[in-house]
Amino acid sequence: MLRFARRLFAYYEDYHAYGPSRLKTIGILGAVTYVLFYFLRFTRPNASITADLVERSLAVLLFALLGLRDHWPERLKPWYIPYSYFALLYSLPTFTVLVALERGGGIANISNAFIILCFLVLLTDWRNTIVMLLVGTAVAAGIYVLITPNPKVPMDMVAQLPAFALILIGGNLFKSNTDKIDAERKLRATQALAGSIAHEMRHPLAQLKHSLEGMQGVLPAPGASRESARLDAQQVQALYRHLARGEQAVQRGLQVISMTLDEVSARPLDASAFRYLSAAEVVQQAVEEYSYDTDEVRDRVTVQVQEDFTFRGDETAFLFVLFNLIKNSLYYVAAYPQTRVTITVGDQHVKVRDTGPGIAPEILKGLFEPFRSVAKSGGTGLGLAYCQRVMRAFGGGIQCDSVPGEFTEFTMTFPAISAEEREAHRLDAIAQARTVLAGKRLLIVEDDAVQRVATRQKLGPLALTTDLDEAADGQTALRLLAARKYDIVLLDLHMPGLDGYAVAEKLRATKGPNRNVHIVAYTSEPAHLARAKALKCGMDGFVSKPCAQLPLLAALQHVVQTPGSQADSVAGRLAGRRILVADDSAFNRKAIAAYLRNAAAIVIEVEHGAAVLEQLHSQDGIHAVIVDLHMPGMDGLETARAIRSAHEPWSGVPIVALTARSDEPAVAAATAAGMNGFLVKPVDALVLYDTLTRLISGGIAMTPGPEPAKSRQAPAPVQDGLLNVQRLESYRRLGMLDELLNDYVPEMARLVGTLREAVDNGDIQGSIDALHSLLGMSGEAGAQALYQQVRKLYVPLLEEGEWPSGSAWLPNLQDLATRTEEALRAYCSVETRSDPS
């Protein structure tokens, strides 16, 4: 019987698991209706005030609580569905049948029964409808018999039983057919969308396959000797070229998926991320980076810049638009060999014109509607709808003109930006660059004297006269870099003799003062072709040549303002690696997972040691485990010992300890348990990447403690001594400021309250647990002063089990937590309003 009840309730839960809440709606409607019907009875003569008042009041209360679902306490919300079952059971069949019996039937009560039965059919699955009707009628009849001296069965209601049965059966059959139709519609839509995405992905996957085949053709045979396996310079360049095209294909595939998901979900563009862009530069970038099938197809696309103009928008989104229009224009090349594509920039317009088959007038009207595709097999029909949404977000528009058999032309219109606004933007950008780059020493490495002069002029507003040096070749650059410290090197890639790649490699390989200098590639080579080689050499950024003043300043700002930019290539080695993160604090896991996902790693999150073992048993290919030492149940040390003693293929997986303690006993205990690395909360992204990369690559040995990692961290900027702005900046770049404000800040306040309760109750272990959680939370949230204060309290309490001396420590901590919360909210408020990215 109990099993039957559970299965029955499971059907009810599933019925209300998706879509808008029908229970909340019926709660509001029922409460209002039952009250209204009570007062309507007084329109009849001799109406009783007290008749069914108690029963009706209970039904109104139950309905009202259903309608107030959003105001339920969080701890009670898991009980909302079970409560709704009881509320419906009483308020619909039980109450209605009881009142009908008490009144002896009649037309009004028969009508009420029909209405209630209809609502019950809508609100439950057929099984629970039948059960609720039977149980509710039985309960009502039982109550009626108990409270009525001479109970009678209203025969007029009995006579309506066939009609009630018809509503019950017909209503559920109709609802079942409707559900099947909806399911079929959703299935067909899903199949169509999946098929469309698969079609769109064929091209980038084919290009990726071609690139891999090209690499295979260059690589020596597996059994070749060391001498014959060596590659010459031409083969190395071919490998990098194939690698660049493969990366480009992957990027295009991701763009297809991103565009499709954005359009299906109608996700709006974030206008706060818009910046001022050169139309000519973005168009040229799109034409250079588009994935052409062949060089012959590439030659069919030309760009004509009649007059460059500036618009405000998102560069990536506009590139998507141009890629889509270029793809559409080139789609018919095989069938129409005469097709040529011309992209024209001028007069606040970008026009993409092709001499392909054209589009019929009757099709033009719905061209920008979602899921409309013109004479293409398998296209998503979302591309042009996405283009229109992007252009509208920019404040402009897009339209299409076509003459069948002659041409098709898409015209994108951009709102004009006044000369005053452009000048204000230019001055503001220069002022920002001057602030960020103040005091920085810069070296220009360029073999073309004219280019050096032009670059120096563009950097003139920064007033770097005494901190700006030049080198005409790679050897001279290395001599200057060996003699004095620089902050940025603007490095030409193609120079006679020692080129930019060689300079960067030598610089990164030395132990001199400029080993970690910011290097910006200054090249006329397309960025997507140079990226792999430049990252391999340790470069941090790219600037196209020729380059306008503002993009040059922006590139220099970017490398200075991006902490750990030299770690990009290190973090890139984590791409695709499966990292298991175990911490009982979801907030600590969230921060570490965000850093790892930003490095394209695959993150698996669990909250205790037993779950770590379950994941290792059930999943293959986990490359590393990060485990918190202090967890309830099986802690980090026990987990590490269990892994090492399991005698499984995964028993040798690298294990990294995550802890708030950095003393020798903690390191020794972690070493004894078989751990290989040590991360101190709050975790620094650069240290995290470096530790995992070293361990996964095979250099598995216990890190001698957290001090070496600490020495790599520059002193963190602090706002009024409270905040670690560098950490907060990393959250801003990861898009986590909202989570910081909505999750971390309230959780810190809750933990301070938990600590106060533990202290008031004399609970030392509870205080240790609260301080442990608060230590990790404050460190991850960038609450530097609070973290330091909590650490001073936590470690002695953990080691000695005694309260801090004096009575002022807790009020001081509470005051510091309050000031920290105010500072964090102020920081998040300012950054979300003025985020320049």
Side-chain angles (χ1 to χ4, degrees):
M1 187 65 182
L2 184 60
R3 175 181 291 183
F4 171 76
R6 287 176 176 171
R7 291 184 66 182
L8 188 68
F9 183 69
Y11 287 123
Y12 178 79
E13 281 187 309
D14 290 342
Y15 190 81
H16 291 285
Y18 304 101
S21 175
R22 289 163 284 195
L23 295 172
K24 176 182 173 182
T25 303
I26 194 61
I28 297 172
L29 180 63
V32 173
T33 303
Y34 275 28
V35 171
L36 181 62
F37 277 25
Y38 174 77
F39 288 104
L40 284 176
R41 72 171 57 174
F42 297 115
T43 60
R44 301 190 304 270
N46 302 320
S48 173
I49 297 177
T50 59
D52 71 43
L53 180 60
V54 175
E55 300 95 320
R56 186 178 295 269
S57 298
L58 178 58
V60 170
L61 176 62
L62 294 175
F63 271 137
L65 290 175
L66 272 183
L68 295 173
R69 183 196 64 171
D70 295 341
H71 300 283
W72 279 41
E74 288 297 327
R75 67 180 184 278
L76 296 180
K77 284 184 177 180
W79 296 97
Y80 180 80
I81 295 296
Y83 164 80
S84 71
Y85 197 97
F86 169 76
L88 293 183
L89 178 62
Y90 172 80
S91 302
L92 294 180
T94 303
F95 172 77
T96 305
V97 173
L98 179 59
V99 171
L101 290 172
E102 289 176 340
R103 295 179 181 177
I107 294 178
N109 290 294
I110 292 175
S111 300
N112 289 341
F114 278 120
I115 295 172
I116 292 306
L117 180 56
C118 291
F119 273 114
L120 197 59
V121 169
L122 292 174
L123 290 169
T124 59
D125 62 284
W126 66 269
R127 308 167 191 83
N128 282 282
T129 300
I130 295 173
V131 170
M132 281 190 174
L133 280 175
L134 294 176
V135 173
T137 301
V139 171
I143 295 174
Y144 175 65
V145 170
L146 290 175
I147 65 175
T148 306
N150 186 22
K152 295 180 180 180
V153 178
M155 296 311 296
D156 55 350
M157 291 196 68
V158 175
Q160 297 299 323
L161 287 179
F164 291 144
L166 180 61
I167 291 177
L168 178 62
I169 297 172
N172 278 289
L173 287 176
F174 177 79
K175 188 170 63 173
S176 175
N177 288 333
T178 302
D179 291 342
K180 290 180 180 178
I181 292 171
D182 288 342
E184 180 68 20
R185 185 184 296 116
K186 292 176 182 177
L187 177 61
R188 290 182 179 180
T190 302
Q191 290 173 336
L193 183 60
S196 298
I197 294 177
H199 173 82
E200 296 284 2
M201 290 295 292
R202 279 199 192 99
H203 178 72
L205 288 176
Q207 185 183 358
L208 179 60
K209 181 176 181 292
H210 177 73
S211 298
L212 293 175
E213 290 173 346
M215 292 181 188
Q216 187 177 19
V218 175
L219 290 172
S225 63
R226 178 176 299 181
E227 289 73 17
S228 61
R230 292 179 179 175
L231 303 178
D232 57 34
Q234 187 175 0
Q235 290 173 316
V236 170
Q237 292 301 318
L239 273 180
Y240 275 112
R241 185 168 60 253
H242 290 308
L243 175 62
R245 289 175 177 171
E247 289 180 340
Q248 189 181 35
V250 172
Q251 183 65 24
R252 294 299 167 264
L254 294 174
Q255 288 170 352
V256 167
I257 295 172
S258 176
M259 182 187 71
T260 304
L261 295 178
D262 282 356
E263 190 57 35
V264 168
S265 61
R267 185 190 309 170
L269 271 68
D270 182 11
S272 64
F274 289 0
R275 58 191 182 91
Y276 292 88
L277 301 168
S278 161
E281 289 182 3
V282 179
V283 167
Q284 194 62 47
Q285 180 182 349
V287 171
E288 289 177 354
E289 297 187 6
Y290 181 77
S291 302
Y292 301 96
D293 291 333
T294 64
D295 290 338
E296 188 273 332
V297 174
R298 164 66 182 87
D299 293 338
R300 293 174 180 267
V301 181
T302 58
V303 177
Q304 297 179 357
V305 180
Q306 298 173 348
E307 181 184 6
D308 191 14
F309 62 88
T310 301
F311 69 94
R312 188 172 179 272
D314 181 89
E315 182 180 80
T316 301
F318 189 48
L319 283 173
F320 282 12
V321 170
L322 291 171
F323 290 151
N324 190 74
L325 296 180
I326 293 173
K327 180 190 69 175
N328 289 344
S329 297
L330 296 175
Y331 183 84
Y332 303 98
V333 166
Y336 295 84
Q338 80 282 2
T339 299
R340 296 289 184 273
V341 181
T342 304
I343 305 178
T344 307
V345 179
D347 192 27
Q348 299 298 131
H349 293 92
V350 174
K351 298 181 179 182
V352 180
R353 183 186 182 100
D354 69 75
T355 56
I359 302 173
E362 61 272 15
I363 297 178
L364 282 176
K365 297 178 181 179
L367 194 60
F368 294 97
E369 295 178 6
F371 301 103
R372 290 290 299 272
S373 184
V374 181
K376 296 179 184 177
S377 60
T380 62
L382 291 173
L384 292 179
Y386 180 82
C387 295
Q388 183 180 65
R389 194 158 62 85
V390 169
M391 291 307 303
R392 286 177 176 175
F394 292 173
I398 181 172
Q399 65 181 29
C400 180
D401 297 314
S402 183
V403 175
E406 295 186 18
F407 74 91
T408 298
E409 182 176 77
F410 287 91
T411 301
M412 290 164 283
T413 305
F414 298 81
I417 297 177
S418 66
E420 292 79 8
E421 185 178 351
R422 287 198 302 272
E423 181 62 14
H425 162 64
R426 189 184 72 84
L427 294 176
D428 181 61
I430 290 174
Q432 288 184 20
R434 186 182 294 118
T435 300
V436 172
L437 300 174
K440 305 297 182 186
R441 185 169 294 164
L442 191 146
L443 175 63
I444 303 172
V445 185
E446 169 66 65
D447 64 310
D448 188 329
V450 175
Q451 287 281 1
R452 292 199 304 273
V453 171
T455 302
R456 181 179 283 272
Q457 289 176 342
K458 294 169 188 174
L459 299 176
L462 301 182
L464 299 174
T465 307
T466 59
D467 294 317
L468 185 61
D469 293 332
E470 298 178 11
D473 55 69
Q475 292 291 355
T476 304
L478 290 176
R479 286 196 296 270
L480 289 173
L481 288 162
R484 64 185 300 189
K485 179 74 172 67
Y486 289 92
D487 298 289
I488 307 172
V489 177
L490 188 60
L491 182 60
D492 182 25
L493 295 183
H494 297 284
M495 296 181 293
L498 206 62
D499 65 13
Y501 298 112
V503 171
E505 282 185 338
K506 290 179 178 295
L507 194 57
R508 295 301 188 214
T510 65
K511 295 184 178 179
N514 290 296
R515 181 180 184 181
N516 293 323
V517 67
H518 298 294
I519 303 177
V520 179
Y522 198 30
T523 176
S524 56
E525 187 176 356
H528 70 283
L529 294 177
R531 186 176 306 276
K533 293 184 287 184
L535 287 177
K536 181 72 174 177
C537 297
M539 299 188 193
D540 305 307
F542 300 87
V543 174
S544 297
K545 190 196 300 183
C547 178
Q549 181 185 51
L550 295 189
L552 175 61
L553 299 182
L556 299 181
Q557 278 183 259
H558 177 73
V559 295
V560 171
Q561 291 179 312
T562 305
S565 56
Q566 295 98 340
D568 286 349
S569 59
V570 176
R573 298 174 198 167
L574 297 178
R577 301 290 188 171
R578 299 170 67 84
I579 313 296
L580 178 57
V581 180
D583 195 317
D584 59 303
S585 170
F587 301 95
N588 293 343
R589 294 198 308 270
K590 184 182 297 184
I592 294 173
Y595 285 132
L596 291 173
R597 291 189 179 108
N598 193 49
I602 301 169
V603 185
I604 305 164
E605 298 181 49
V606 298
E607 58 184 12
H608 50 76
V612 172
L613 298 178
E614 292 173 4
Q615 291 293 332
L616 289 171
H617 274 291
S618 62
Q619 298 204 39
D620 295 328
I622 291 179
H623 295 90
V625 176
I626 301 175
V627 58
D628 184 25
L629 291 185
H630 187 86
M631 292 186 297
M634 180 183 287
D635 64 20
L637 297 177
E638 293 172 337
T639 303
R641 287 192 286 265
I643 293 173
R644 295 299 183 230
S645 62
H647 303 295
E648 297 283 349
W650 40 261
S651 293
V653 65
I655 307 174
V656 180
L658 182 64
T659 180
R661 301 179 60 189
S662 57
D663 50 86
E664 289 302 323
V667 176
T671 306
M675 295 187 171
N676 311 106
F678 209 98
L679 293 172
V680 179
K681 300 177 183 179
V683 176
D684 178 82
L686 180 60
V687 177
L688 174 67
Y689 296 154
D690 182 70
T691 301
L692 290 176
T693 301
R694 176 174 45 79
L695 294 179
I696 292 174
S697 64
I700 300 181
M702 181 63 192
T703 304
E707 273 64 33
K710 282 186 175 181
S711 65
R712 296 187 59 174
Q713 302 179 33
V718 180
Q719 177 180 321
D720 297 330
L722 291 176
L723 305 183
N724 182 339
V725 178
Q726 180 175 333
R727 177 165 288 272
L728 296 176
E729 279 292 297
S730 68
Y731 282 158
R732 181 183 63 80
R733 288 190 300 275
L734 293 173
M736 288 184 62
L737 282 185
D738 286 342
E739 292 181 68
L740 176 70
L741 189 63
N742 298 328
D743 296 341
Y744 282 50
V745 172
E747 181 66 7
M748 285 194 295
R750 188 192 69 80
L751 289 172
V752 171
T754 302
L755 174 63
R756 183 181 64 251
E757 293 176 5
V759 173
D760 292 341
N761 296 329
D763 182 1
I764 289 183
Q765 186 57 48
S767 301
I768 292 174
D769 293 341
L771 284 171
H772 172 263
S773 298
L774 184 58
L775 184 66
M777 180 68 60
S778 58
E780 295 299 344
Q784 179 167 282
L786 181 61
Y787 168 81
Q788 293 170 346
Q789 185 62 27
V790 172
R791 185 177 174 81
K792 291 178 183 178
L793 299 169
Y794 170 71
V795 175
L797 183 61
L798 179 65
E799 294 177 345
E800 301 168 10
E802 296 181 358
W803 301 107
S805 59
S807 59
W809 67 272
L810 184 55
N812 290 342
L813 185 66
Q814 290 174 304
D815 176 69
L816 180 58
T818 300
R819 290 189 288 114
T820 299
E821 178 178 346
E822 294 172 354
L824 283 170
R825 291 188 181 281
Y827 176 90
C828 292
S829 174
V830 171
E831 289 301 317
T832 52
R833 290 199 308 267
S834 60
D835 188 348
S837 62

